[in-house]
Amino acid sequence: IAGRAGLKYSTTCLANMMDLLVWALNPKAQEPLLWPTFGNLLDLARIAPLDAFAAKGDYEKSLIHRLEGIVQASGDLFEAHRGLEIEEHLVPQKKHLIIEQNLLSPVWVRAISTDLLFLQLLMGRQYRYERRGTINCLVIADDMDDDLSRASDYQLDGHVPPLAQLMQLGREVGIGVCLGVHALNDVAGRYLADVNYHHFFAVGDADPLRVAANTLNLPPRGHDILPALVQGECVFRGPGPWAGAVLAKFDEVPPSRVGRPARFDEHPFVPSRSLHEMPEVLERIR
């Protein structure tokens, strides 16, 4: 979270605040745990002395500024002490979940929400030592150019991004990942190395063509086919004994023309409260 928010020097401060709030919200260490919201973190940062969590007050000032940005930009998205639990609410019931984030901005706030979903799914299975021979949960994410870019990779200051962790370790615990991007020329190398199956649809620009040809291991001038692909056609390359790329065609599935629902199904969650609405929590903090 600190990396996505550009808080390189406030990471420890943020971690210490989260530690305290988790302890204060769960006096008996009950299960399931209640989790602090960004609003709770902001409340704590405002009422605590600036040197309570950080060696330098400026670090906490930066944190307060960023937390105000997250709270304002995300609306009610994170305002729950306990919300979506993928393993509990979706996987056992074999349900699908569609998350629409096209209006969530800025990019770093959207990245935080995506990171939390990926890490919840992966780390829970790692914690339980799950090992599966088959995939029972498939994550499909489209328009991931910003999330896979070199700039996004650099943002985390050397730490492996959650999506990269999911791609590297997910298959062993039963998670499949399918990603869609418009072009590969800005995608960080770590993601290309972890992809087993590549499907390239019509590619026209010079830089994406060059990267596509290298990724597919096409012969000289072999990339000439990419701009000429018609709808549904792609050049495919996968693992196995056949190292070359092949021309493939998908069955056409017409896009849905159903309008946006006026009302969505409600999902159970524990509504959040501010610290000032929880005097017993505030007393524990003090």
Side-chain angles (χ1 to χ4, degrees), residues 232-250:
E233 285 186 339
C234 73
V235 177
F236 163 78
R237 185 180 179 220
W242 181 257
V246 297
L247 182 65
K249 185 170 177 61
F250 283 83

Side-chain angles (χ1 to χ4, degrees), residues 118-131:
F118 291 156
L119 287 175
Q120 178 195 129
L121 186 58
L122 177 64
M123 294 182 123
R125 294 187 175 209
Q126 287 180 318
Y127 178 77
R128 294 187 297 274
Y129 294 101
E130 289 192 31
R131 297 293 184 271

Side-chain angles (χ1 to χ4, degrees), residues 222-268:
H223 64 273
D224 289 347
I225 191 176
L226 292 171
L229 295 172
V230 299
Q231 188 172 358
E233 285 186 339
C234 73
V235 177
F236 163 78
R237 185 180 179 220
W242 181 257
V246 297
L247 182 65
K249 185 170 177 61
F250 283 83
D251 294 333
E252 181 182 2
V253 179
S256 172
R257 303 301 181 191
V258 177
R260 181 181 176 87
R263 181 182 176 86
F264 293 91
D265 294 336
E266 292 186 359
H267 183 77

Side-chain angles (χ1 to χ4, degrees), residues 1-179:
I1 291 170
R4 292 297 189 197
L7 294 168
K8 184 176 180 180
Y9 299 107
S10 301
T11 307
T12 304
C13 177
L14 182 62
N16 289 335
M17 292 171 66
M18 283 186 168
D19 250 1
L20 177 65
L21 284 171
V22 170
W23 171 81
L25 284 167
N26 301 276
K28 298 179 181 179
Q30 73 270 11
E31 288 288 347
L33 291 175
L34 299 181
W35 292 94
T37 67
F38 288 118
N40 295 152
L41 287 163
L42 181 58
D43 290 340
L44 179 58
R46 284 172 170 166
I47 64 176
L50 287 179
D51 60 353
F53 300 99
K56 295 183 178 180
D58 287 343
Y59 295 165
E60 191 160 345
K61 290 178 183 177
S62 300
L63 179 60
I64 291 173
H65 176 72
R66 273 307 201 194
L67 285 172
E68 288 173 342
I70 294 175
V71 171
Q72 183 177 12
S74 59
D76 293 333
L77 177 62
F78 299 115
E79 289 304 301
H81 290 311
R82 186 169 185 264
L84 174 65
E85 298 285 347
I86 297 176
E87 295 288 1
E88 179 184 340
H89 300 141
L90 297 178
V91 178
Q93 289 84 8
K94 298 183 178 180
K95 289 184 177 180
H96 299 84
L97 171 69
I98 298 175
I99 299 177
E100 181 183 339
Q101 295 193 133
N102 57 336
L103 297 179
L104 183 59
S105 62
V107 171
W108 58 272
V109 173
R110 185 174 64 82
I112 287 174
S113 69
T114 309
D115 288 345
L116 292 176
L117 289 170
F118 291 156
L119 287 175
Q120 178 195 129
L121 186 58
L122 177 64
M123 294 182 123
R125 294 187 175 209
Q126 287 180 318
Y127 178 77
R128 294 187 297 274
Y129 294 101
E130 289 192 31
R131 297 293 184 271
R132 295 179 178 272
T134 58
I135 288 171
N136 77 333
C137 183
L138 178 62
V139 177
I140 303 173
D142 200 9
D143 295 324
M144 294 293 284
D145 295 71
D146 289 333
D147 304 81
L148 302 180
S149 67
R150 296 184 186 93
S152 177
D153 202 47
Y154 177 77
Q155 193 178 42
L156 296 181
D157 194 32
H159 295 283
V160 179
L163 180 53
Q165 294 182 46
L166 193 68
M167 293 171 67
Q168 293 169 5
L169 307 171
R171 181 174 295 274
E172 186 179 7
V173 295
I175 303 170
V177 183
C178 177
L179 303 174

